[in-house]
Amino acid sequence: MGEEEGDRRTEALLEKLSESSYNPSEEPQVRRTGTVWTAMAHIITAVIGSGVLSLAWSVAQLGWVGGPTAIVFFAGVTVVQSSLLADCYISRDEDGHGVVVRNKSYVQAVRLYLGEKSRLFCGFFLSISLFGSSVVYTLTSATSMRAIQKANCYHTEGHGAPACSAAGGGSDVYYMVLFGVAQLVLSQIPDFHNMAWLSIFAAVMSFSYSFIGFGLGAAKVIENGVIKGAIGGIALASTTQKVWRVAQALGDIAFAYPFSLVLLEIEDTLRSPPAESETMKKASRASIAVTTFFYLGCGCLGYAAFGDATPGNLLTGFGFYEPYWLIDLANLCVVLHLLGGYQVYSQPAFALAEQWFATEGSSVDLNVFRLCYRTAYVAAATAVAVWFPYFNQVVGLIGAFSFWPLAIHFPVEMYITQAQVAPWTARWLAIRAFSAACLLVCAFASLGSAVGVFGSKES
């Protein structure tokens, strides 16, 4: 029964390939020069972002057992799903040798392996996730820019100065608009193949502020002479509040990891030999190992330093006041990193719209459409950030809502089709169990994060 089902899957996939309008000889000549190092730069730029700044808060909600366990769990999940998705980049002929299709984007791969209905379903979640990441990056950059102003004020006026607590209180909008203007310029970068320099620069910035956050947390623990925090995390007034906080914390951690929505775009920049999937898996494993080290360091040291007073954003919550120039440098690195990180998540959204426009055969010039669409996209992301300026809640909601469909469901289904995994075999059952477990965790996190976002808006 399993073999018959596998044969049917193979026939269906070959039929889709034969119906595809793709012809390798007609593919535009793109120079793929990427290496494991450039892939790591893209991944680190995509993964180590605003999510790392909320991890100390997340660990504080989950406690000394739950916090590190959740970080390691999502790291493991990301290793598995990135490996599954990397194998879906190239669809080969029946003999397994010739390249039939290069799936240069997530949506293209979903359409080929799973069909048009799945593509539409995927496009909905992908659009929300990509746009949501732009909103979160706008929020984070504005918070970091204002933190620089406040740090200088605290240094000059004293740590308890009331004027500094209110410094820039109404200026977040100004900083969001400033960041948006910068993105209007960067958004004119044509595509991923022209972004290696920006990703390398952004990756260096992410390492810089992660090191600073790591070091500040360690220094604070040494200064305190004691490790703060509790096994069960921060105690709240009611069990219901605790449950929602735990759910929100899981959403924050989920947001901090996956890069599945840009993995195939990154893989399409890689040269071969060796096989692109082999290079991508190596880059993914190395990048996730590095980011997990920093995540555990920033999350656990932040909680150890501040305990129940752990801020929502480690570098802007002002548990750290001095040395003020180091706080300034860290927040500047955050802003510079997010300038590139924003583009890593925006380019697939731009490509989606522009591919649709090109297929419509409109009389409007593509360059004019690109300018107008990308400008409108950045303006809309900035406007939403202004309307919902709740960092931890927004991070958690976007992470939890999009994690399972994009990082788990579609990669699993595509891999089963691509690898022709027969139903009810041990491998099939293991993959299905993996998907189901992640679904339960993400449903719980989504509910708690939604309560956090809309509860904050109402209050």
mmCIF file of all heavy atoms in Angstrom, residues 109-157:
data_model
loop_
_atom_site.group_PDB
_atom_site.id
_atom_site.type_symbol
_atom_site.label_atom_id
_atom_site.label_comp_id
_atom_site.label_asym_id
_atom_site.label_seq_id
_atom_site.Cartn_x
_atom_site.Cartn_y
_atom_site.Cartn_z
ATOM 1 N N ALA A 109 8.135 26.918 -4.671
ATOM 2 C CA ALA A 109 8.285 25.527 -4.256
ATOM 3 C C ALA A 109 6.947 24.939 -3.803
ATOM 4 O O ALA A 109 6.603 23.804 -4.152
ATOM 5 C CB ALA A 109 9.311 25.425 -3.129
ATOM 6 N N VAL A 110 6.189 25.711 -3.031
ATOM 7 C CA VAL A 110 4.885 25.233 -2.563
ATOM 8 C C VAL A 110 3.967 24.951 -3.749
ATOM 9 O O VAL A 110 3.271 23.928 -3.789
ATOM 10 C CB VAL A 110 4.234 26.260 -1.612
ATOM 11 C CG1 VAL A 110 2.778 25.892 -1.322
ATOM 12 C CG2 VAL A 110 5.013 26.340 -0.307
ATOM 13 N N ARG A 111 3.975 25.831 -4.733
ATOM 14 C CA ARG A 111 3.108 25.641 -5.907
ATOM 15 C C ARG A 111 3.482 24.375 -6.662
ATOM 16 O O ARG A 111 2.616 23.603 -7.080
ATOM 17 C CB ARG A 111 3.224 26.846 -6.831
ATOM 18 C CG ARG A 111 2.332 26.748 -8.076
ATOM 19 C CD ARG A 111 2.471 27.987 -8.946
ATOM 20 N NE ARG A 111 1.593 27.912 -10.104
ATOM 21 C CZ ARG A 111 1.905 27.268 -11.226
ATOM 22 N NH1 ARG A 111 3.069 26.650 -11.341
ATOM 23 N NH2 ARG A 111 1.047 27.245 -12.242
ATOM 24 N N LEU A 112 4.774 24.134 -6.834
ATOM 25 C CA LEU A 112 5.213 22.965 -7.589
ATOM 26 C C LEU A 112 4.862 21.665 -6.871
ATOM 27 O O LEU A 112 4.298 20.747 -7.458
ATOM 28 C CB LEU A 112 6.724 23.028 -7.816
ATOM 29 C CG LEU A 112 7.323 21.786 -8.493
ATOM 30 C CD1 LEU A 112 6.828 21.675 -9.931
ATOM 31 C CD2 LEU A 112 8.834 21.816 -8.458
ATOM 32 N N TYR A 113 5.195 21.589 -5.599
ATOM 33 C CA TYR A 113 5.025 20.337 -4.861
ATOM 34 C C TYR A 113 3.597 20.094 -4.375
ATOM 35 O O TYR A 113 3.143 18.955 -4.315
ATOM 36 C CB TYR A 113 5.968 20.296 -3.656
ATOM 37 C CG TYR A 113 7.423 20.164 -4.014
ATOM 38 C CD1 TYR A 113 8.319 21.193 -3.749
ATOM 39 C CD2 TYR A 113 7.917 19.015 -4.619
ATOM 40 C CE1 TYR A 113 9.661 21.082 -4.078
ATOM 41 C CE2 TYR A 113 9.256 18.890 -4.952
ATOM 42 C CZ TYR A 113 10.132 19.921 -4.683
ATOM 43 O OH TYR A 113 11.451 19.810 -5.012
ATOM 44 N N LEU A 114 2.888 21.180 -4.010
ATOM 45 C CA LEU A 114 1.603 21.011 -3.320
ATOM 46 C C LEU A 114 0.409 21.568 -4.085
ATOM 47 O O LEU A 114 -0.733 21.347 -3.680
ATOM 48 C CB LEU A 114 1.672 21.663 -1.933
ATOM 49 C CG LEU A 114 2.811 21.178 -1.029
ATOM 50 C CD1 LEU A 114 2.791 21.923 0.305
ATOM 51 C CD2 LEU A 114 2.721 19.673 -0.794
ATOM 52 N N GLY A 115 0.644 22.339 -5.144
ATOM 53 C CA GLY A 115 -0.468 22.810 -5.947
ATOM 54 C C GLY A 115 -0.859 24.260 -5.694
ATOM 55 O O GLY A 115 -0.368 24.915 -4.773
ATOM 56 N N GLU A 116 -1.783 24.752 -6.525
ATOM 57 C CA GLU A 116 -2.162 26.162 -6.505
ATOM 58 C C GLU A 116 -2.903 26.557 -5.227
ATOM 59 O O GLU A 116 -2.683 27.643 -4.679
ATOM 60 C CB GLU A 116 -3.045 26.473 -7.715
ATOM 61 C CG GLU A 116 -3.435 27.930 -7.860
ATOM 62 C CD GLU A 116 -2.248 28.858 -8.079
ATOM 63 O OE1 GLU A 116 -1.183 28.381 -8.504
ATOM 64 O OE2 GLU A 116 -2.393 30.065 -7.811
ATOM 65 N N LYS A 117 -3.781 25.701 -4.719
ATOM 66 C CA LYS A 117 -4.525 26.044 -3.499
ATOM 67 C C LYS A 117 -3.576 26.220 -2.321
ATOM 68 O O LYS A 117 -3.718 27.155 -1.522
ATOM 69 C CB LYS A 117 -5.564 24.965 -3.188
ATOM 70 C CG LYS A 117 -6.747 24.951 -4.146
ATOM 71 C CD LYS A 117 -7.768 23.909 -3.734
ATOM 72 C CE LYS A 117 -8.962 23.907 -4.692
ATOM 73 N NZ LYS A 117 -9.958 22.859 -4.322
ATOM 74 N N SER A 118 -2.612 25.346 -2.214
ATOM 75 C CA SER A 118 -1.625 25.461 -1.137
ATOM 76 C C SER A 118 -0.788 26.717 -1.312
ATOM 77 O O SER A 118 -0.403 27.362 -0.337
ATOM 78 C CB SER A 118 -0.712 24.229 -1.111
ATOM 79 O OG SER A 118 -1.424 23.081 -0.704
ATOM 80 N N ARG A 119 -0.524 27.066 -2.573
ATOM 81 C CA ARG A 119 0.255 28.288 -2.825
ATOM 82 C C ARG A 119 -0.480 29.508 -2.298
ATOM 83 O O ARG A 119 0.119 30.399 -1.687
ATOM 84 C CB ARG A 119 0.542 28.453 -4.315
ATOM 85 C CG ARG A 119 1.432 29.668 -4.622
ATOM 86 C CD ARG A 119 1.414 29.992 -6.094
ATOM 87 N NE ARG A 119 0.150 30.564 -6.505
ATOM 88 C CZ ARG A 119 -0.200 31.831 -6.351
ATOM 89 N NH1 ARG A 119 0.611 32.692 -5.745
ATOM 90 N NH2 ARG A 119 -1.381 32.263 -6.756
ATOM 91 N N LEU A 120 -1.788 29.569 -2.528
ATOM 92 C CA LEU A 120 -2.576 30.703 -2.048
ATOM 93 C C LEU A 120 -2.608 30.746 -0.523
ATOM 94 O O LEU A 120 -2.477 31.806 0.094
ATOM 95 C CB LEU A 120 -4.000 30.619 -2.604
ATOM 96 C CG LEU A 120 -4.132 30.779 -4.129
ATOM 97 C CD1 LEU A 120 -5.566 30.494 -4.569
ATOM 98 C CD2 LEU A 120 -3.691 32.163 -4.569
ATOM 99 N N PHE A 121 -2.781 29.591 0.091
ATOM 100 C CA PHE A 121 -2.790 29.486 1.548
ATOM 101 C C PHE A 121 -1.435 29.912 2.112
ATOM 102 O O PHE A 121 -1.346 30.674 3.076
ATOM 103 C CB PHE A 121 -3.100 28.029 1.922
ATOM 104 C CG PHE A 121 -3.250 27.795 3.394
ATOM 105 C CD1 PHE A 121 -4.184 28.496 4.146
ATOM 106 C CD2 PHE A 121 -2.469 26.842 4.034
ATOM 107 C CE1 PHE A 121 -4.328 28.260 5.517
ATOM 108 C CE2 PHE A 121 -2.608 26.597 5.396
ATOM 109 C CZ PHE A 121 -3.537 27.307 6.132
ATOM 110 N N CYS A 122 -0.374 29.439 1.479
ATOM 111 C CA CYS A 122 0.982 29.791 1.897
ATOM 112 C C CYS A 122 1.225 31.285 1.728
ATOM 113 O O CYS A 122 1.815 31.936 2.599
ATOM 114 C CB CYS A 122 1.989 29.005 1.063
ATOM 115 S SG CYS A 122 3.672 29.611 1.163
ATOM 116 N N GLY A 123 0.767 31.839 0.597
ATOM 117 C CA GLY A 123 0.984 33.261 0.333
ATOM 118 C C GLY A 123 0.365 34.144 1.400
ATOM 119 O O GLY A 123 0.923 35.188 1.759
ATOM 120 N N PHE A 124 -0.787 33.723 1.939
ATOM 121 C CA PHE A 124 -1.441 34.484 3.003
ATOM 122 C C PHE A 124 -0.548 34.570 4.239
ATOM 123 O O PHE A 124 -0.272 35.662 4.758
ATOM 124 C CB PHE A 124 -2.777 33.811 3.352
ATOM 125 C CG PHE A 124 -3.424 34.344 4.598
ATOM 126 C CD1 PHE A 124 -4.025 35.600 4.610
ATOM 127 C CD2 PHE A 124 -3.429 33.593 5.761
ATOM 128 C CE1 PHE A 124 -4.618 36.090 5.762
ATOM 129 C CE2 PHE A 124 -4.019 34.076 6.922
ATOM 130 C CZ PHE A 124 -4.611 35.334 6.919
ATOM 131 N N PHE A 125 -0.069 33.408 4.721
ATOM 132 C CA PHE A 125 0.782 33.398 5.912
ATOM 133 C C PHE A 125 2.132 34.060 5.647
ATOM 134 O O PHE A 125 2.677 34.750 6.508
ATOM 135 C CB PHE A 125 0.997 31.962 6.389
ATOM 136 C CG PHE A 125 -0.173 31.399 7.128
ATOM 137 C CD1 PHE A 125 -1.077 30.564 6.500
ATOM 138 C CD2 PHE A 125 -0.379 31.706 8.467
ATOM 139 C CE1 PHE A 125 -2.165 30.052 7.183
ATOM 140 C CE2 PHE A 125 -1.466 31.197 9.161
ATOM 141 C CZ PHE A 125 -2.361 30.365 8.512
ATOM 142 N N LEU A 126 2.660 33.837 4.449
ATOM 143 C CA LEU A 126 3.962 34.415 4.122
ATOM 144 C C LEU A 126 3.898 35.938 4.105
ATOM 145 O O LEU A 126 4.780 36.617 4.634
ATOM 146 C CB LEU A 126 4.426 33.899 2.756
ATOM 147 C CG LEU A 126 5.838 34.299 2.331
ATOM 148 C CD1 LEU A 126 6.871 33.703 3.271
ATOM 149 C CD2 LEU A 126 6.104 33.850 0.898
ATOM 150 N N SER A 127 2.838 36.469 3.534
ATOM 151 C CA SER A 127 2.686 37.925 3.475
ATOM 152 C C SER A 127 2.593 38.525 4.874
ATOM 153 O O SER A 127 3.218 39.545 5.174
ATOM 154 C CB SER A 127 1.444 38.290 2.663
ATOM 155 O OG SER A 127 1.557 37.825 1.335
ATOM 156 N N ILE A 128 1.813 37.867 5.749
ATOM 157 C CA ILE A 128 1.680 38.356 7.124
ATOM 158 C C ILE A 128 3.016 38.311 7.844
ATOM 159 O O ILE A 128 3.413 39.258 8.539
ATOM 160 C CB ILE A 128 0.632 37.524 7.887
ATOM 161 C CG1 ILE A 128 -0.762 37.819 7.342
ATOM 162 C CG2 ILE A 128 0.688 37.817 9.387
ATOM 163 C CD1 ILE A 128 -1.854 36.977 7.954
ATOM 164 N N SER A 129 3.745 37.207 7.668
ATOM 165 C CA SER A 129 5.013 37.046 8.373
ATOM 166 C C SER A 129 6.062 38.039 7.886
ATOM 167 O O SER A 129 6.761 38.670 8.691
ATOM 168 C CB SER A 129 5.526 35.616 8.194
ATOM 169 O OG SER A 129 6.707 35.420 8.924
ATOM 170 N N LEU A 130 6.181 38.188 6.576
ATOM 171 C CA LEU A 130 7.170 39.122 6.031
ATOM 172 C C LEU A 130 6.832 40.560 6.424
ATOM 173 O O LEU A 130 7.711 41.317 6.862
ATOM 174 C CB LEU A 130 7.218 38.994 4.506
ATOM 175 C CG LEU A 130 7.778 37.681 3.953
ATOM 176 C CD1 LEU A 130 7.586 37.616 2.438
ATOM 177 C CD2 LEU A 130 9.242 37.502 4.314
ATOM 178 N N PHE A 131 5.576 40.919 6.271
ATOM 179 C CA PHE A 131 5.155 42.270 6.631
ATOM 180 C C PHE A 131 5.299 42.485 8.133
ATOM 181 O O PHE A 131 5.748 43.544 8.584
ATOM 182 C CB PHE A 131 3.706 42.493 6.196
ATOM 183 C CG PHE A 131 3.207 43.891 6.429
ATOM 184 C CD1 PHE A 131 3.584 44.915 5.575
ATOM 185 C CD2 PHE A 131 2.370 44.187 7.492
ATOM 186 C CE1 PHE A 131 3.133 46.215 5.784
ATOM 187 C CE2 PHE A 131 1.914 45.464 7.712
ATOM 188 C CZ PHE A 131 2.295 46.491 6.850
ATOM 189 N N GLY A 132 4.923 41.467 8.918
ATOM 190 C CA GLY A 132 5.041 41.572 10.366
ATOM 191 C C GLY A 132 6.472 41.765 10.821
ATOM 192 O O GLY A 132 6.749 42.528 11.764
ATOM 193 N N SER A 133 7.407 41.091 10.167
ATOM 194 C CA SER A 133 8.823 41.267 10.508
ATOM 195 C C SER A 133 9.260 42.703 10.245
ATOM 196 O O SER A 133 10.028 43.284 11.021
ATOM 197 C CB SER A 133 9.687 40.298 9.687
ATOM 198 O OG SER A 133 9.388 38.963 10.024
ATOM 199 N N SER A 134 8.767 43.287 9.167
ATOM 200 C CA SER A 134 9.092 44.687 8.869
ATOM 201 C C SER A 134 8.555 45.613 9.953
ATOM 202 O O SER A 134 9.220 46.577 10.359
ATOM 203 C CB SER A 134 8.515 45.079 7.506
ATOM 204 O OG SER A 134 9.045 44.281 6.479
ATOM 205 N N VAL A 135 7.347 45.311 10.439
ATOM 206 C CA VAL A 135 6.752 46.119 11.515
ATOM 207 C C VAL A 135 7.591 46.016 12.786
ATOM 208 O O VAL A 135 7.921 47.022 13.423
ATOM 209 C CB VAL A 135 5.303 45.662 11.796
ATOM 210 C CG1 VAL A 135 4.748 46.366 13.034
ATOM 211 C CG2 VAL A 135 4.410 45.947 10.590
ATOM 212 N N VAL A 136 7.959 44.784 13.154
ATOM 213 C CA VAL A 136 8.739 44.573 14.373
ATOM 214 C C VAL A 136 10.099 45.255 14.268
ATOM 215 O O VAL A 136 10.593 45.855 15.232
ATOM 216 C CB VAL A 136 8.903 43.066 14.653
ATOM 217 C CG1 VAL A 136 9.901 42.828 15.789
ATOM 218 C CG2 VAL A 136 7.559 42.451 15.007
ATOM 219 N N TYR A 137 10.730 45.181 13.107
ATOM 220 C CA TYR A 137 12.045 45.809 12.939
ATOM 221 C C TYR A 137 11.939 47.324 13.024
ATOM 222 O O TYR A 137 12.837 47.992 13.537
ATOM 223 C CB TYR A 137 12.659 45.384 11.598
ATOM 224 C CG TYR A 137 13.308 44.018 11.644
ATOM 225 C CD1 TYR A 137 12.934 43.072 12.596
ATOM 226 C CD2 TYR A 137 14.298 43.666 10.741
ATOM 227 C CE1 TYR A 137 13.528 41.828 12.649
ATOM 228 C CE2 TYR A 137 14.914 42.422 10.787
ATOM 229 C CZ TYR A 137 14.519 41.506 11.746
ATOM 230 O OH TYR A 137 15.115 40.274 11.798
ATOM 231 N N THR A 138 10.830 47.866 12.550
ATOM 232 C CA THR A 138 10.616 49.311 12.664
ATOM 233 C C THR A 138 10.442 49.703 14.132
ATOM 234 O O THR A 138 11.024 50.697 14.601
ATOM 235 C CB THR A 138 9.369 49.734 11.865
ATOM 236 O OG1 THR A 138 9.535 49.354 10.491
ATOM 237 C CG2 THR A 138 9.148 51.237 11.938
ATOM 238 N N LEU A 139 9.657 48.912 14.865
ATOM 239 C CA LEU A 139 9.467 49.159 16.295
ATOM 240 C C LEU A 139 10.797 49.100 17.050
ATOM 241 O O LEU A 139 11.111 49.964 17.869
ATOM 242 C CB LEU A 139 8.534 48.097 16.888
ATOM 243 C CG LEU A 139 7.028 48.260 16.712
ATOM 244 C CD1 LEU A 139 6.322 46.999 17.187
ATOM 245 C CD2 LEU A 139 6.535 49.460 17.490
ATOM 246 N N THR A 140 11.566 48.067 16.771
ATOM 247 C CA THR A 140 12.810 47.851 17.504
ATOM 248 C C THR A 140 13.820 48.943 17.234
ATOM 249 O O THR A 140 14.499 49.430 18.151
ATOM 250 C CB THR A 140 13.418 46.485 17.118
ATOM 251 O OG1 THR A 140 12.427 45.476 17.231
ATOM 252 C CG2 THR A 140 14.590 46.145 18.019
ATOM 253 N N SER A 141 13.956 49.322 15.979
ATOM 254 C CA SER A 141 14.934 50.362 15.630
ATOM 255 C C SER A 141 14.568 51.685 16.302
ATOM 256 O O SER A 141 15.445 52.400 16.811
ATOM 257 C CB SER A 141 15.006 50.539 14.115
ATOM 258 O OG SER A 141 13.759 50.948 13.598
ATOM 259 N N ALA A 142 13.278 52.012 16.329
ATOM 260 C CA ALA A 142 12.847 53.255 16.968
ATOM 261 C C ALA A 142 13.141 53.231 18.463
ATOM 262 O O ALA A 142 13.613 54.222 19.042
ATOM 263 C CB ALA A 142 11.357 53.482 16.727
ATOM 264 N N THR A 143 12.884 52.082 19.093
ATOM 265 C CA THR A 143 13.155 51.946 20.521
ATOM 266 C C THR A 143 14.639 52.103 20.812
ATOM 267 O O THR A 143 15.037 52.735 21.796
ATOM 268 C CB THR A 143 12.671 50.568 21.022
ATOM 269 O OG1 THR A 143 11.288 50.420 20.708
ATOM 270 C CG2 THR A 143 12.851 50.439 22.517
ATOM 271 N N SER A 144 15.480 51.527 19.955
ATOM 272 C CA SER A 144 16.927 51.628 20.156
ATOM 273 C C SER A 144 17.431 53.050 19.937
ATOM 274 O O SER A 144 18.317 53.525 20.658
ATOM 275 C CB SER A 144 17.656 50.660 19.219
ATOM 276 O OG SER A 144 17.451 49.319 19.613
ATOM 277 N N MET A 145 16.877 53.740 18.958
ATOM 278 C CA MET A 145 17.295 55.130 18.729
ATOM 279 C C MET A 145 16.906 56.015 19.904
ATOM 280 O O MET A 145 17.684 56.877 20.339
ATOM 281 C CB MET A 145 16.688 55.648 17.418
ATOM 282 C CG MET A 145 17.389 55.120 16.174
ATOM 283 S SD MET A 145 16.819 55.896 14.632
ATOM 284 C CE MET A 145 15.461 54.826 14.205
ATOM 285 N N ARG A 146 15.719 55.787 20.449
ATOM 286 C CA ARG A 146 15.308 56.578 21.605
ATOM 287 C C ARG A 146 16.148 56.218 22.831
ATOM 288 O O ARG A 146 16.437 57.069 23.678
ATOM 289 C CB ARG A 146 13.820 56.351 21.909
ATOM 290 C CG ARG A 146 13.305 57.180 23.078
ATOM 291 C CD ARG A 146 11.786 57.283 23.079
ATOM 292 N NE ARG A 146 11.147 55.992 23.105
ATOM 293 C CZ ARG A 146 10.877 55.313 24.224
ATOM 294 N NH1 ARG A 146 11.217 55.806 25.401
ATOM 295 N NH2 ARG A 146 10.273 54.146 24.169
ATOM 296 N N ALA A 147 16.560 54.940 22.919
ATOM 297 C CA ALA A 147 17.377 54.511 24.054
ATOM 298 C C ALA A 147 18.726 55.224 24.074
ATOM 299 O O ALA A 147 19.277 55.494 25.153
ATOM 300 C CB ALA A 147 17.586 53.003 24.012
ATOM 301 N N ILE A 148 19.264 55.521 22.911
ATOM 302 C CA ILE A 148 20.530 56.261 22.850
ATOM 303 C C ILE A 148 20.349 57.641 23.475
ATOM 304 O O ILE A 148 21.174 58.110 24.279
ATOM 305 C CB ILE A 148 21.017 56.376 21.386
ATOM 306 C CG1 ILE A 148 21.386 54.992 20.850
ATOM 307 C CG2 ILE A 148 22.208 57.334 21.287
ATOM 308 C CD1 ILE A 148 21.717 54.970 19.373
ATOM 309 N N GLN A 149 19.249 58.293 23.129
ATOM 310 C CA GLN A 149 18.937 59.601 23.699
ATOM 311 C C GLN A 149 18.779 59.511 25.215
ATOM 312 O O GLN A 149 19.326 60.346 25.964
ATOM 313 C CB GLN A 149 17.651 60.144 23.060
ATOM 314 C CG GLN A 149 17.181 61.469 23.630
ATOM 315 C CD GLN A 149 15.797 61.860 23.104
ATOM 316 O OE1 GLN A 149 15.220 61.150 22.287
ATOM 317 N NE2 GLN A 149 15.280 62.982 23.571
ATOM 318 N N LYS A 150 18.074 58.487 25.683
ATOM 319 C CA LYS A 150 17.844 58.338 27.123
ATOM 320 C C LYS A 150 19.131 57.989 27.871
ATOM 321 O O LYS A 150 19.362 58.468 28.989
ATOM 322 C CB LYS A 150 16.778 57.272 27.374
ATOM 323 C CG LYS A 150 15.389 57.684 26.915
ATOM 324 C CD LYS A 150 14.376 56.566 27.094
ATOM 325 C CE LYS A 150 14.039 56.337 28.542
ATOM 326 N NZ LYS A 150 12.936 55.348 28.710
ATOM 327 N N ALA A 151 19.974 57.153 27.280
ATOM 328 C CA ALA A 151 21.228 56.777 27.942
ATOM 329 C C ALA A 151 22.109 57.996 28.168
ATOM 330 O O ALA A 151 22.722 58.159 29.239
ATOM 331 C CB ALA A 151 21.968 55.737 27.094
ATOM 332 N N ASN A 152 22.162 58.859 27.176
ATOM 333 C CA ASN A 152 22.960 60.085 27.326
ATOM 334 C C ASN A 152 22.375 60.988 28.406
ATOM 335 O O ASN A 152 23.102 61.627 29.176
ATOM 336 C CB ASN A 152 23.028 60.832 25.987
ATOM 337 C CG ASN A 152 23.793 60.057 24.931
ATOM 338 O OD1 ASN A 152 24.625 59.210 25.272
ATOM 339 N ND2 ASN A 152 23.522 60.333 23.670
ATOM 340 N N CYS A 153 21.049 61.023 28.473
ATOM 341 C CA CYS A 153 20.379 61.836 29.485
ATOM 342 C C CYS A 153 20.656 61.299 30.888
ATOM 343 O O CYS A 153 20.984 62.049 31.808
ATOM 344 C CB CYS A 153 18.878 61.887 29.215
ATOM 345 S SG CYS A 153 17.931 62.859 30.411
ATOM 346 N N TYR A 154 20.551 59.980 31.056
ATOM 347 C CA TYR A 154 20.823 59.372 32.362
ATOM 348 C C TYR A 154 22.261 59.632 32.803
ATOM 349 O O TYR A 154 22.535 59.855 33.971
ATOM 350 C CB TYR A 154 20.574 57.862 32.309
ATOM 351 C CG TYR A 154 19.123 57.465 32.375
ATOM 352 C CD1 TYR A 154 18.567 56.614 31.423
ATOM 353 C CD2 TYR A 154 18.300 57.905 33.414
ATOM 354 C CE1 TYR A 154 17.236 56.225 31.488
ATOM 355 C CE2 TYR A 154 16.967 57.526 33.484
ATOM 356 C CZ TYR A 154 16.438 56.688 32.521
ATOM 357 O OH TYR A 154 15.112 56.310 32.600
ATOM 358 N N HIS A 155 23.176 59.582 31.850
ATOM 359 C CA HIS A 155 24.585 59.824 32.187
ATOM 360 C C HIS A 155 24.800 61.257 32.655
ATOM 361 O O HIS A 155 25.567 61.515 33.586
ATOM 362 C CB HIS A 155 25.459 59.540 30.960
ATOM 363 C CG HIS A 155 26.910 59.817 31.194
ATOM 364 N ND1 HIS A 155 27.704 59.028 32.001
ATOM 365 C CD2 HIS A 155 27.718 60.826 30.735
ATOM 366 C CE1 HIS A 155 28.936 59.522 32.024
ATOM 367 N NE2 HIS A 155 28.970 60.607 31.268
ATOM 368 N N THR A 156 24.096 62.188 32.030
ATOM 369 C CA THR A 156 24.268 63.609 32.358
ATOM 370 C C THR A 156 23.493 64.009 33.608
ATOM 371 O O THR A 156 24.020 64.706 34.484
ATOM 372 C CB THR A 156 23.806 64.488 31.170
ATOM 373 O OG1 THR A 156 24.527 64.101 30.000
ATOM 374 C CG2 THR A 156 24.033 65.958 31.463
ATOM 375 N N GLU A 157 22.241 63.557 33.706
ATOM 376 C CA GLU A 157 21.345 64.016 34.774
ATOM 377 C C GLU A 157 21.292 63.091 35.982
ATOM 378 O O GLU A 157 20.767 63.486 37.024
ATOM 379 C CB GLU A 157 19.918 64.175 34.209
ATOM 380 C CG GLU A 157 19.818 65.120 33.024
ATOM 381 C CD GLU A 157 20.147 66.555 33.390
ATOM 382 O OE1 GLU A 157 19.974 66.925 34.584
ATOM 383 O OE2 GLU A 157 20.577 67.306 32.497
#
